[in-house]
Amino acid sequence: MNISTGDKFYKEGEALLLKDQVDSYKMFQEAITYYKKSQDSSNISKSLIYQSIAQKYSGDINGAEITLVEALKMMKENDENLYSVYGTLGDLKYDQKEYSEATIWYDKALKSVQDEGGYRYNILNNMAAAAFRQKKYHVALQILENLDKQEIEDIILKYRIKENIEYVRWLSDNDYPAEDQILKLLQLKIESDDSWGMNASYAHLAEINQVKNPEQSLYYARQMLETAQKNKSPDDRLEAMSKIMLVGNSSQFKDLFKEYAKLSDSIQNSRNNYKTKFAYIKYNTKKKEFENQELQAENKIERLKTVIGVGVLSGMLIAGVFWYKRRKRRLEQEKKLEVKNTELKYSKNVHDVVANGLYHLMVDIENNSDLSRGKILNDLEKMYEESRDISHENLSESDFYERFGRMINSYSSAEQKVIPIKYSEEVWEDIPQSLKSELFYVIREILINMKKHSGAQLVILKFERDNHSLQITYTDNGKGIENLDTQKGSGIRNTENRIGALNGEIIFEQNPNGGLIIKITVPTDTYYV
């Protein structure tokens, strides 16, 4: 009875998967409830896999990963559905741009899949994509060219593989004439009504023409935007807009940036909304299970409380024995650290106030030909005042919001556009002055490094604030850093240390469209001076 009822909900969930992910997720949760009563682990794991796919379609990537891990725990070693879990985990890691991790999961999926055709070819194609995203072009081509020799019945997959071969050849050698073959494949996709494949072709053609033929690149980027709108794909719309901004007329940037920012916020709000709905469905089920078991478990809970109480008291007695010795040792270490930290503080402040301050002023003069003599003298006087008593240096002006904004805008020129998004006075509300000063110097150092090394044409600084943290995301389309693990200079390490000292987090990533992404997150409610 329980299994048949579970099967009913399972089938309803399958039917809703592409229409309404929330209702589909709910149906699979109902199915799991009945399968649990019969301890049917196989059907539980299959329901969890479908739930993860619903979450992935809705942009809840982290939630989908958690659900798949839950499915793995339910599955036996040789479960026939292991390949589906591994393949989906690979796709999730790919979506998060963790390409080496994605490759590991794709390899596990290949070892588990029994199908010698369709699904296996899809996994290999995805593995090749993960390889060329890591600039392993030879590895990607080897996989794709072997696939191209197979008898592939899925014509859409076949065109995708052929185009990926041309694209990877161009990536490895920008003089390779890939455009003609991709245009032929685009025409075949149009004839096959493969709108998602058309979107990929327009993206590749826009990228190939970006440097040598900007007008043609702009045409393909606009075609991509139109196709993405028909496909109702907000992520592809964002990508198309970014390609248009790289080659389009600067007079159109303002309106396009507004649309870009609005769409980006809308996508994030939608994903957060889905996360909340999925979490509530799961919570509501757990709550019902708990209420049903509460009366039976009451005596066990009381006994557990007693055991925990005795354990806590014992732990407190044992901890008391070590507390005094550890406290004495800690005080001695703190005295040594205090001297070292003072030295580091002076060194860091000299770098911030004098070295970076002078370079910033040079950039401001270079980018603003109408900068007045009085403004230059005023900035020099501020640097003098800050450096005169460097041990107490801070940015305590009441106009911090304007000064921070002016600092960002001073790095923008005709050749290098630096554009802040969602920057407002509310960003700095109730944030300690010392934290604001640190962020001022961190962002300025990032922009200095951009000016010196990146060769970027476009830089975006996006500010996001919630009740607990401030997030600043830096994106450019410059040269990037080829190997972040081995090529971190002292500037990057210094920035990482500074953000770490704020109890925050800084992440450096390769921009998949070329360039660098830096994500900075600092807590605004637990920061102490």
PDB file of all heavy atoms in Angstrom, residues 16-36:
ATOM      1  N   LEU A  16       5.633  16.812 -13.676  1.00  0.00           N
ATOM      2  CA  LEU A  16       5.717  18.252 -13.382  1.00  0.00           C
ATOM      3  C   LEU A  16       7.127  18.812 -13.498  1.00  0.00           C
ATOM      4  O   LEU A  16       7.315  20.032 -13.430  1.00  0.00           O
ATOM      5  CB  LEU A  16       5.196  18.522 -11.958  1.00  0.00           C
ATOM      6  CG  LEU A  16       3.686  18.380 -11.735  1.00  0.00           C
ATOM      7  CD1 LEU A  16       3.376  18.348 -10.252  1.00  0.00           C
ATOM      8  CD2 LEU A  16       2.954  19.543 -12.400  1.00  0.00           C
ATOM      9  N   LEU A  17       8.129  17.964 -13.685  1.00  0.00           N
ATOM     10  CA  LEU A  17       9.530  18.383 -13.566  1.00  0.00           C
ATOM     11  C   LEU A  17       9.877  19.575 -14.456  1.00  0.00           C
ATOM     12  O   LEU A  17      10.541  20.507 -14.016  1.00  0.00           O
ATOM     13  CB  LEU A  17      10.462  17.208 -13.877  1.00  0.00           C
ATOM     14  CG  LEU A  17      11.961  17.467 -13.651  1.00  0.00           C
ATOM     15  CD1 LEU A  17      12.243  17.846 -12.206  1.00  0.00           C
ATOM     16  CD2 LEU A  17      12.777  16.245 -14.050  1.00  0.00           C
ATOM     17  N   LEU A  18       9.450  19.564 -15.714  1.00  0.00           N
ATOM     18  CA  LEU A  18       9.792  20.642 -16.631  1.00  0.00           C
ATOM     19  C   LEU A  18       8.786  21.790 -16.606  1.00  0.00           C
ATOM     20  O   LEU A  18       9.036  22.847 -17.198  1.00  0.00           O
ATOM     21  CB  LEU A  18       9.896  20.097 -18.063  1.00  0.00           C
ATOM     22  CG  LEU A  18      10.999  19.061 -18.304  1.00  0.00           C
ATOM     23  CD1 LEU A  18      10.947  18.568 -19.732  1.00  0.00           C
ATOM     24  CD2 LEU A  18      12.376  19.653 -18.000  1.00  0.00           C
ATOM     25  N   LYS A  19       7.667  21.592 -15.891  1.00  0.00           N
ATOM     26  CA  LYS A  19       6.612  22.612 -15.870  1.00  0.00           C
ATOM     27  C   LYS A  19       6.660  23.463 -14.603  1.00  0.00           C
ATOM     28  O   LYS A  19       6.547  24.684 -14.662  1.00  0.00           O
ATOM     29  CB  LYS A  19       5.235  21.949 -15.977  1.00  0.00           C
ATOM     30  CG  LYS A  19       5.043  21.125 -17.244  1.00  0.00           C
ATOM     31  CD  LYS A  19       3.695  20.397 -17.204  1.00  0.00           C
ATOM     32  CE  LYS A  19       3.520  19.503 -18.422  1.00  0.00           C
ATOM     33  NZ  LYS A  19       2.255  18.740 -18.362  1.00  0.00           N
ATOM     34  N   ASP A  20       6.811  22.825 -13.450  1.00  0.00           N
ATOM     35  CA  ASP A  20       6.770  23.524 -12.161  1.00  0.00           C
ATOM     36  C   ASP A  20       7.690  22.789 -11.194  1.00  0.00           C
ATOM     37  O   ASP A  20       7.311  21.767 -10.614  1.00  0.00           O
ATOM     38  CB  ASP A  20       5.330  23.563 -11.626  1.00  0.00           C
ATOM     39  CG  ASP A  20       5.188  24.434 -10.392  1.00  0.00           C
ATOM     40  OD1 ASP A  20       6.133  24.470  -9.573  1.00  0.00           O
ATOM     41  OD2 ASP A  20       4.141  25.082 -10.247  1.00  0.00           O
ATOM     42  N   GLN A  21       8.907  23.304 -11.018  1.00  0.00           N
ATOM     43  CA  GLN A  21       9.908  22.597 -10.224  1.00  0.00           C
ATOM     44  C   GLN A  21       9.520  22.492  -8.742  1.00  0.00           C
ATOM     45  O   GLN A  21       9.822  21.500  -8.073  1.00  0.00           O
ATOM     46  CB  GLN A  21      11.272  23.298 -10.336  1.00  0.00           C
ATOM     47  CG  GLN A  21      12.003  23.025 -11.639  1.00  0.00           C
ATOM     48  CD  GLN A  21      11.453  23.825 -12.792  1.00  0.00           C
ATOM     49  OE1 GLN A  21      11.230  25.022 -12.664  1.00  0.00           O
ATOM     50  NE2 GLN A  21      11.229  23.172 -13.922  1.00  0.00           N
ATOM     51  N   VAL A  22       8.839  23.508  -8.222  1.00  0.00           N
ATOM     52  CA  VAL A  22       8.451  23.480  -6.801  1.00  0.00           C
ATOM     53  C   VAL A  22       7.430  22.377  -6.545  1.00  0.00           C
ATOM     54  O   VAL A  22       7.568  21.582  -5.615  1.00  0.00           O
ATOM     55  CB  VAL A  22       7.910  24.852  -6.352  1.00  0.00           C
ATOM     56  CG1 VAL A  22       7.361  24.761  -4.925  1.00  0.00           C
ATOM     57  CG2 VAL A  22       9.008  25.904  -6.421  1.00  0.00           C
ATOM     58  N   ASP A  23       6.369  22.322  -7.374  1.00  0.00           N
ATOM     59  CA  ASP A  23       5.352  21.278  -7.206  1.00  0.00           C
ATOM     60  C   ASP A  23       5.948  19.895  -7.459  1.00  0.00           C
ATOM     61  O   ASP A  23       5.588  18.909  -6.790  1.00  0.00           O
ATOM     62  CB  ASP A  23       4.168  21.525  -8.145  1.00  0.00           C
ATOM     63  CG  ASP A  23       3.226  22.596  -7.608  1.00  0.00           C
ATOM     64  OD1 ASP A  23       3.375  22.957  -6.416  1.00  0.00           O
ATOM     65  OD2 ASP A  23       2.365  23.070  -8.361  1.00  0.00           O
ATOM     66  N   SER A  24       6.845  19.795  -8.443  1.00  0.00           N
ATOM     67  CA  SER A  24       7.516  18.523  -8.713  1.00  0.00           C
ATOM     68  C   SER A  24       8.312  18.070  -7.489  1.00  0.00           C
ATOM     69  O   SER A  24       8.227  16.915  -7.067  1.00  0.00           O
ATOM     70  CB  SER A  24       8.439  18.664  -9.923  1.00  0.00           C
ATOM     71  OG  SER A  24       9.197  17.490 -10.125  1.00  0.00           O
ATOM     72  N   TYR A  25       9.094  18.984  -6.920  1.00  0.00           N
ATOM     73  CA  TYR A  25       9.887  18.686  -5.721  1.00  0.00           C
ATOM     74  C   TYR A  25       8.977  18.213  -4.580  1.00  0.00           C
ATOM     75  O   TYR A  25       9.299  17.254  -3.865  1.00  0.00           O
ATOM     76  CB  TYR A  25      10.635  19.949  -5.314  1.00  0.00           C
ATOM     77  CG  TYR A  25      11.592  19.789  -4.159  1.00  0.00           C
ATOM     78  CD1 TYR A  25      12.943  19.530  -4.382  1.00  0.00           C
ATOM     79  CD2 TYR A  25      11.161  19.920  -2.841  1.00  0.00           C
ATOM     80  CE1 TYR A  25      13.831  19.401  -3.320  1.00  0.00           C
ATOM     81  CE2 TYR A  25      12.022  19.795  -1.777  1.00  0.00           C
ATOM     82  CZ  TYR A  25      13.367  19.534  -2.021  1.00  0.00           C
ATOM     83  OH  TYR A  25      14.236  19.404  -0.964  1.00  0.00           O
ATOM     84  N   LYS A  26       7.827  18.868  -4.438  1.00  0.00           N
ATOM     85  CA  LYS A  26       6.880  18.515  -3.372  1.00  0.00           C
ATOM     86  C   LYS A  26       6.319  17.105  -3.569  1.00  0.00           C
ATOM     87  O   LYS A  26       6.187  16.334  -2.603  1.00  0.00           O
ATOM     88  CB  LYS A  26       5.744  19.537  -3.347  1.00  0.00           C
ATOM     89  CG  LYS A  26       4.808  19.387  -2.162  1.00  0.00           C
ATOM     90  CD  LYS A  26       3.787  20.515  -2.149  1.00  0.00           C
ATOM     91  CE  LYS A  26       2.867  20.399  -0.943  1.00  0.00           C
ATOM     92  NZ  LYS A  26       1.874  21.505  -0.919  1.00  0.00           N
ATOM     93  N   MET A  27       5.989  16.750  -4.812  1.00  0.00           N
ATOM     94  CA  MET A  27       5.461  15.409  -5.091  1.00  0.00           C
ATOM     95  C   MET A  27       6.494  14.330  -4.761  1.00  0.00           C
ATOM     96  O   MET A  27       6.164  13.286  -4.184  1.00  0.00           O
ATOM     97  CB  MET A  27       5.045  15.296  -6.563  1.00  0.00           C
ATOM     98  CG  MET A  27       3.826  16.132  -6.952  1.00  0.00           C
ATOM     99  SD  MET A  27       2.323  15.698  -6.023  1.00  0.00           S
ATOM    100  CE  MET A  27       2.265  17.072  -4.863  1.00  0.00           C
ATOM    101  N   PHE A  28       7.755  14.578  -5.126  1.00  0.00           N
ATOM    102  CA  PHE A  28       8.806  13.603  -4.814  1.00  0.00           C
ATOM    103  C   PHE A  28       9.025  13.499  -3.299  1.00  0.00           C
ATOM    104  O   PHE A  28       9.332  12.420  -2.788  1.00  0.00           O
ATOM    105  CB  PHE A  28      10.111  13.971  -5.521  1.00  0.00           C
ATOM    106  CG  PHE A  28      10.101  13.661  -6.988  1.00  0.00           C
ATOM    107  CD1 PHE A  28      10.220  14.676  -7.938  1.00  0.00           C
ATOM    108  CD2 PHE A  28       9.955  12.350  -7.438  1.00  0.00           C
ATOM    109  CE1 PHE A  28      10.201  14.387  -9.293  1.00  0.00           C
ATOM    110  CE2 PHE A  28       9.941  12.057  -8.804  1.00  0.00           C
ATOM    111  CZ  PHE A  28      10.055  13.079  -9.727  1.00  0.00           C
ATOM    112  N   GLN A  29       8.837  14.605  -2.589  1.00  0.00           N
ATOM    113  CA  GLN A  29       8.966  14.558  -1.125  1.00  0.00           C
ATOM    114  C   GLN A  29       7.859  13.705  -0.515  1.00  0.00           C
ATOM    115  O   GLN A  29       8.092  12.944   0.433  1.00  0.00           O
ATOM    116  CB  GLN A  29       8.926  15.981  -0.547  1.00  0.00           C
ATOM    117  CG  GLN A  29       9.310  16.080   0.916  1.00  0.00           C
ATOM    118  CD  GLN A  29      10.732  15.635   1.176  1.00  0.00           C
ATOM    119  OE1 GLN A  29      11.638  15.976   0.437  1.00  0.00           O
ATOM    120  NE2 GLN A  29      10.926  14.845   2.221  1.00  0.00           N
ATOM    121  N   GLU A  30       6.654  13.818  -1.069  1.00  0.00           N
ATOM    122  CA  GLU A  30       5.541  12.978  -0.600  1.00  0.00           C
ATOM    123  C   GLU A  30       5.852  11.506  -0.899  1.00  0.00           C
ATOM    124  O   GLU A  30       5.585  10.620  -0.065  1.00  0.00           O
ATOM    125  CB  GLU A  30       4.244  13.393  -1.296  1.00  0.00           C
ATOM    126  CG  GLU A  30       3.712  14.760  -0.896  1.00  0.00           C
ATOM    127  CD  GLU A  30       3.144  14.767   0.501  1.00  0.00           C
ATOM    128  OE1 GLU A  30       2.921  13.679   1.086  1.00  0.00           O
ATOM    129  OE2 GLU A  30       2.944  15.867   1.050  1.00  0.00           O
ATOM    130  N   ALA A  31       6.400  11.242  -2.086  1.00  0.00           N
ATOM    131  CA  ALA A  31       6.754   9.861  -2.436  1.00  0.00           C
ATOM    132  C   ALA A  31       7.770   9.299  -1.462  1.00  0.00           C
ATOM    133  O   ALA A  31       7.662   8.148  -0.996  1.00  0.00           O
ATOM    134  CB  ALA A  31       7.299   9.817  -3.871  1.00  0.00           C
ATOM    135  N   ILE A  32       8.775  10.105  -1.105  1.00  0.00           N
ATOM    136  CA  ILE A  32       9.812   9.661  -0.169  1.00  0.00           C
ATOM    137  C   ILE A  32       9.200   9.285   1.181  1.00  0.00           C
ATOM    138  O   ILE A  32       9.611   8.291   1.814  1.00  0.00           O
ATOM    139  CB  ILE A  32      10.874  10.771   0.009  1.00  0.00           C
ATOM    140  CG1 ILE A  32      11.707  10.899  -1.271  1.00  0.00           C
ATOM    141  CG2 ILE A  32      11.784  10.491   1.200  1.00  0.00           C
ATOM    142  CD1 ILE A  32      12.604  12.115  -1.300  1.00  0.00           C
ATOM    143  N   THR A  33       8.207  10.061   1.623  1.00  0.00           N
ATOM    144  CA  THR A  33       7.550   9.782   2.913  1.00  0.00           C
ATOM    145  C   THR A  33       6.976   8.373   2.935  1.00  0.00           C
ATOM    146  O   THR A  33       7.122   7.634   3.916  1.00  0.00           O
ATOM    147  CB  THR A  33       6.432  10.816   3.168  1.00  0.00           C
ATOM    148  OG1 THR A  33       7.009  12.126   3.191  1.00  0.00           O
ATOM    149  CG2 THR A  33       5.739  10.541   4.501  1.00  0.00           C
ATOM    150  N   TYR A  34       6.324   7.958   1.836  1.00  0.00           N
ATOM    151  CA  TYR A  34       5.720   6.617   1.786  1.00  0.00           C
ATOM    152  C   TYR A  34       6.768   5.535   1.546  1.00  0.00           C
ATOM    153  O   TYR A  34       6.660   4.427   2.086  1.00  0.00           O
ATOM    154  CB  TYR A  34       4.628   6.578   0.704  1.00  0.00           C
ATOM    155  CG  TYR A  34       3.376   7.297   1.127  1.00  0.00           C
ATOM    156  CD1 TYR A  34       3.149   8.619   0.762  1.00  0.00           C
ATOM    157  CD2 TYR A  34       2.421   6.662   1.929  1.00  0.00           C
ATOM    158  CE1 TYR A  34       2.003   9.294   1.167  1.00  0.00           C
ATOM    159  CE2 TYR A  34       1.270   7.323   2.343  1.00  0.00           C
ATOM    160  CZ  TYR A  34       1.069   8.635   1.962  1.00  0.00           C
ATOM    161  OH  TYR A  34      -0.061   9.294   2.375  1.00  0.00           O
ATOM    162  N   TYR A  35       7.787   5.839   0.744  1.00  0.00           N
ATOM    163  CA  TYR A  35       8.844   4.844   0.525  1.00  0.00           C
ATOM    164  C   TYR A  35       9.600   4.550   1.827  1.00  0.00           C
ATOM    165  O   TYR A  35      10.055   3.421   2.056  1.00  0.00           O
ATOM    166  CB  TYR A  35       9.825   5.337  -0.544  1.00  0.00           C
ATOM    167  CG  TYR A  35       9.255   5.360  -1.950  1.00  0.00           C
ATOM    168  CD1 TYR A  35       9.619   6.366  -2.852  1.00  0.00           C
ATOM    169  CD2 TYR A  35       8.363   4.376  -2.392  1.00  0.00           C
ATOM    170  CE1 TYR A  35       9.111   6.390  -4.140  1.00  0.00           C
ATOM    171  CE2 TYR A  35       7.852   4.403  -3.676  1.00  0.00           C
ATOM    172  CZ  TYR A  35       8.228   5.409  -4.548  1.00  0.00           C
ATOM    173  OH  TYR A  35       7.724   5.426  -5.830  1.00  0.00           O
ATOM    174  N   LYS A  36       9.747   5.563   2.675  1.00  0.00           N
ATOM    175  CA  LYS A  36      10.441   5.362   3.951  1.00  0.00           C
ATOM    176  C   LYS A  36       9.695   4.376   4.840  1.00  0.00           C
ATOM    177  O   LYS A  36      10.312   3.595   5.582  1.00  0.00           O
ATOM    178  CB  LYS A  36      10.598   6.702   4.689  1.00  0.00           C
ATOM    179  CG  LYS A  36      11.766   7.540   4.205  1.00  0.00           C
ATOM    180  CD  LYS A  36      11.914   8.798   5.057  1.00  0.00           C
ATOM    181  CE  LYS A  36      13.143   9.597   4.649  1.00  0.00           C
ATOM    182  NZ  LYS A  36      13.289  10.828   5.464  1.00  0.00           N
TER     183      LYS A  36
END
